[in-house]
Structures are given as structure tokens and as C-alpha cells.
Amino acid sequence: MSEAVIRAIEAQRTTNLFDPTHRLQDAEITELVRLATLAPSSFNLQNWRFIAVRTPDAQARLRKISWDQAKITDAAVTFIVVGKMPDFQSLAERLAPAVSAGFFPADMVPGWQGAAKSLYDGQPQRSRDEAVRTATFGAATLIQAAQAKGLGTAPMIGFDAEAVAREFGLQADEVPVLLLAVGKAMPTNWPRKPRQAVDQVLHLV
């Protein structure tokens, strides 16, 4: 790991106060999501979706069903980070680029499909857990991408999940896992709150 990456991790903090005059171009939003999709996912299913809420009307609609949090309308964009229930049938499509690139043997694809089917098919709780895990990996990577570009971020779980799903057209197999506001942090934000000592959370076995 390069020192630059380490410094970015150490500098990252949650932003509560955003500059409401700062906007992001759609190309900048697209690049953040491109970087987010480099995160890992089970079997390379890539079972996530990112809804970029960035117009005043859409932000107001989201804020209304998200505990009236000002971050949603002050930030340049608030992502609804969506996890999708794993679908083993989509795996051949997800693996096709790796097969075409020549490093993933085509005859391994059916085996991976079978493994994914046995793991998730007919397993609603495990499937939902995986949807949440995958979306969280994507959100964490997006946070680091935004940090690298000098942007502040604020993950949020304060929202009406059913209302968000209804208002923004989520499918039955999709879970709104978290909201992630992204924009220019105001200088009046608090510094990072202190963390527990490593020996309180690390257990070597």
C-alpha cells in the first residue's frame, strides 16, 4: 500500500456540513461510481446500484423521506447505495469479460454458477446479507475515491427504506442499504472523532 493511500485513509472524516453552492458535473459523479465498482463482490456478481440524487427536486424528495437531513440538499450529490439480491443466472454475463480476456477458463463458469446457486438460491436471509455486504463494499470504496478527490462524504442510515424504494423505483430484489452524501466540506466541520485503541478491538489468535 502506498503512503498516499494510507495518508488518505488517516485524513478521511465524516462531513456533516457541506457547501451548498458546490456542484459536481455528471462526469465527476460517473467517475466516482466507476471507482466504487472496483470494490470486491461475491463471485464478481457486482450486485450493487448507485442512484445519484443531484437535482434540487430529487434532493428535496429524498430529504422529505430521510429525517429532513440538511446534508441531502446541501451536498452536491447524495447516492442511494443499493444492494441487489444475488442472482446466480447473471454470473455468466458478469464473468464473460474475464473469459474474453483469457485469464478465466470458460469451463469454470458453470461451476461458479452452481456454487452461487447453492449458496443463495432459496436463501432469502443470506441473499439479503450479501446484498448489504456488497453495497457496503461499494460505498466504502466510493468514500475513499471521494476523499482522494478532495471531497467530503457522509454515510447515512436515517431514512424510510420503504419510501425510498417506492419514490426512486427500486425493484423487489433491491435493498436501499445507505445514503452517501458527497460534496465540498465546510471548514467548520469537526475533526475526526477519536477511535478506540487497537488493543481494544484486535484479538490475535
Side-chain angles (χ1 to χ4, degrees):
M1 180 181 290
S2 73
E3 287 298 313
V5 174
I6 294 173
R7 298 288 84 79
I9 292 171
E10 291 177 336
Q12 193 277 325
R13 61 180 179 173
T14 297
T15 298
N16 285 305
L17 302 172
F18 289 93
D19 179 352
T21 68
H22 180 259
R23 298 289 95 187
L24 289 173
Q25 298 296 316
D26 284 358
E28 296 175 288
I29 294 171
T30 300
E31 176 63 3
L32 287 173
V33 172
R34 183 189 74 81
L35 293 167
T37 62
L38 298 179
S41 63
S42 180
F43 294 99
N44 196 43
L45 280 165
Q46 305 170 61
N47 49 312
W48 43 40
R49 195 156 67 91
F50 302 84
I51 301 173
V53 180
R54 88 271 195 260
T55 65
D57 174 68
Q59 287 177 318
R61 286 161 48 210
L62 181 59
R63 178 171 173 172
K64 185 176 180 180
I65 53 179
S66 303
W67 300 6
D68 195 33
Q69 295 180 82
K71 288 175 281 193
I72 294 170
T73 48
D74 287 348
V77 57
T78 296
F79 293 97
I80 304 170
V81 184
V82 178
K84 299 174 69 69
M85 303 295 185
D87 175 15
F88 74 92
Q89 293 178 321
S90 69
L91 195 50
E93 178 185 349
R94 298 291 186 273
L95 294 174
V99 173
S100 297
F103 67 84
F104 193 95
D107 59 7
M108 286 182 63
V109 173
W112 278 42
Q113 282 185 306
K117 180 179 181 180
S118 65
L119 194 59
Y120 301 120
D121 196 37
Q123 300 287 338
Q125 184 62 56
R126 187 180 294 163
S127 292
R128 189 182 191 283
D129 289 348
E130 193 58 61
V132 172
R133 265 192 295 270
T134 300
T136 303
F137 283 145
T141 304
L142 202 160
I143 287 170
Q144 296 304 325
Q147 173 71 19
K149 292 179 177 294
L151 298 168
T153 56
M156 294 171 276
I157 60 167
F159 59 91
D160 181 332
E162 291 184 1
V164 167
R166 183 171 58 250
E167 185 71 22
F168 291 90
L170 272 63
Q171 301 301 308
D173 65 343
E174 295 183 318
V175 181
V177 175
L178 73 152
L179 307 180
L180 182 62
V182 180
K184 182 178 179 182
M186 298 290 282
T188 47
N189 278 279
W190 289 341
R192 183 208 296 273
K193 293 181 283 297
R195 297 304 198 252
Q196 295 182 74
V198 173
D199 62 9
Q200 293 179 278
V201 297
L202 172 64
H203 301 274
L204 298 171
V205 296

